[in-house]
Amino acid sequence: MQEKVTGMVLSGTPVGEYDKRVVILTRERGKISAFARGARRPKSPLVAASEPFTFGEFVLYQGRDSYTISSVEVQNYFSEIREELEDIYMGMYFCEIAEYFTMENMDAKEILKLLYQSLRALKVPSLSRELVRRIFEFKIIALNGEAPRLFACIECQKKESICFFHPGAAGILCKVWYGKAPYQNRGAYRITGSTIYILQRIVASSVEKLYTFSVSEQVMRELNLVIPDYFEKHTDKKFQSAQMLDNLLSF
């Protein structure tokens, strides 16, 4: 039985002498694994189509226990990303996160869209890779149903004087409640109204409108504090590609 799906290759692993096992994030089936027979042969039509970042229509044969790729109509290789090492590592990081948050037969349309738009955003001159990374991390948490409460104090529901982001409490606190139990001036980051607005915008915006703004240096510094902390509290994995990326940026 054959089936056509639209998706992006997240990862590929050699199998045997000539084959590869690829993980594809699809609109129709969520995350699936499929075999690309002969993909490691130099002249195979599946060579490029079994590489990460490849987006297109995959014709699959569904066997008893697994899928096999029959053919691929590639729509985007993201070849421009493959030209710079930092872009490659960032793209691998996005793919690894998308693989972590998805599973077979789930509705992954928005995460697939986020992945696609984030890879495109890496080559937008007005956007820093650093900002693209933080937007991706925060938005995928929101798409997973774990967005923090950002539009009013989580305790008193007031919208005035909200200036503390508390990752553990998953939301914003006002000045008064941050000093009370159980917080008692601990566990939160004091951030500007501009940073709160950006966090709100990331959560509330459609994926198509995510990468349409830039931020000041101060806001970027604050995003680099609060988003990694919140992201780590909602994942239980150390991403190998993140370590490779951070090692690269440390030189």
Side-chain angles (χ1 to χ4, degrees):
M1 176 181 174
Q2 285 195 335
E3 180 179 357
K4 182 181 287 187
V5 298
T6 298
M8 182 182 293
V9 176
L10 302 180
S11 62
T13 307
V15 176
E17 191 172 357
Y18 297 112
D19 302 338
K20 290 183 77 173
R21 174 186 172 274
V22 298
V23 177
I24 309 170
L25 183 60
T26 73
R27 290 175 185 162
E28 298 82 359
R29 294 283 184 178
K31 180 180 69 179
I32 62 171
S33 297
F35 288 100
R37 306 293 184 189
R40 297 171 66 201
R41 296 180 185 273
K43 296 183 179 180
S44 169
L46 300 180
V47 170
S50 61
E51 293 294 321
F53 319 144
T54 299
F55 180 86
E57 290 189 340
F58 296 76
V59 177
L60 307 173
Y61 172 77
Q62 186 174 4
R64 180 178 300 176
D65 301 315
S66 63
Y67 292 96
T68 299
I69 301 174
S70 298
S71 63
V72 183
E73 183 179 336
V74 176
Q75 298 174 4
N76 197 340
Y77 283 114
F78 287 95
S79 55
E80 67 278 9
I81 289 177
R82 305 172 193 269
E83 296 172 359
E84 295 190 48
L85 193 57
E86 187 176 343
D87 287 335
I88 292 173
Y89 283 176
M90 191 73 79
M92 290 170 58
Y93 177 56
F94 293 166
C95 287
E96 190 177 2
I97 292 173
E99 187 169 346
Y100 173 85
F101 278 103
T102 54
M103 62 186 67
E104 190 168 356
N105 294 321
M106 73 173 285
D107 183 355
K109 295 185 185 70
E110 289 301 305
I111 293 181
L112 176 61
K113 193 186 302 181
L114 173 64
L115 178 59
Y116 188 94
Q117 295 295 342
S118 300
L119 292 178
R120 289 184 61 193
L122 289 176
K123 304 310 294 183
V124 174
S126 61
L127 295 173
S128 69
R129 295 184 183 98
E130 186 179 35
L131 177 59
V132 174
R133 174 179 181 173
R134 298 312 179 203
I135 291 173
F136 179 88
E137 291 169 337
F138 206 58
K139 187 63 174 181
I140 201 167
I141 292 291
L143 292 176
N144 196 49
E146 298 173 298
R149 294 164 289 174
L150 297 168
F151 293 88
C153 174
I154 60 177
E155 294 290 351
C156 67
Q157 284 73 55
K158 291 182 180 179
K159 298 182 179 180
E160 296 79 26
S161 300
I162 51 172
C163 52
F164 292 94
F165 180 77
H166 198 297
I172 292 288
L173 290 164
C174 68
K175 291 179 181 178
V176 173
W177 269 98
Y178 181 52
K180 293 182 178 182
Y183 311 106
Q184 297 172 323
N185 300 315
R186 295 195 303 269
Y189 299 93
R190 182 167 190 143
I191 57 178
T192 62
S194 296
T195 299
I196 293 174
Y197 169 74
I198 292 299
L199 294 174
Q200 292 171 342
R201 186 168 178 173
I202 294 170
V203 168
S205 294
S206 66
V207 171
E208 292 86 352
K209 296 181 179 180
L210 270 181
Y211 297 108
T212 57
F213 60 87
S214 56
V215 300
S216 68
E217 290 184 5
Q218 180 179 358
V219 169
M220 193 68 247
R221 285 194 296 270
E222 292 178 355
L223 294 178
N224 278 334
L225 291 173
V226 301
I227 292 179
D229 193 340
Y230 193 72
F231 182 79
E232 289 176 9
K233 281 180 169 56
H234 289 81
T235 54
D236 57 3
K237 175 182 178 180
K238 295 295 183 182
F239 295 96
Q240 182 178 3
S241 51
Q243 297 173 11
M244 295 166 60
L245 179 61
D246 292 339
N247 288 339
L248 175 68
L249 296 177
S250 66
F251 283 103

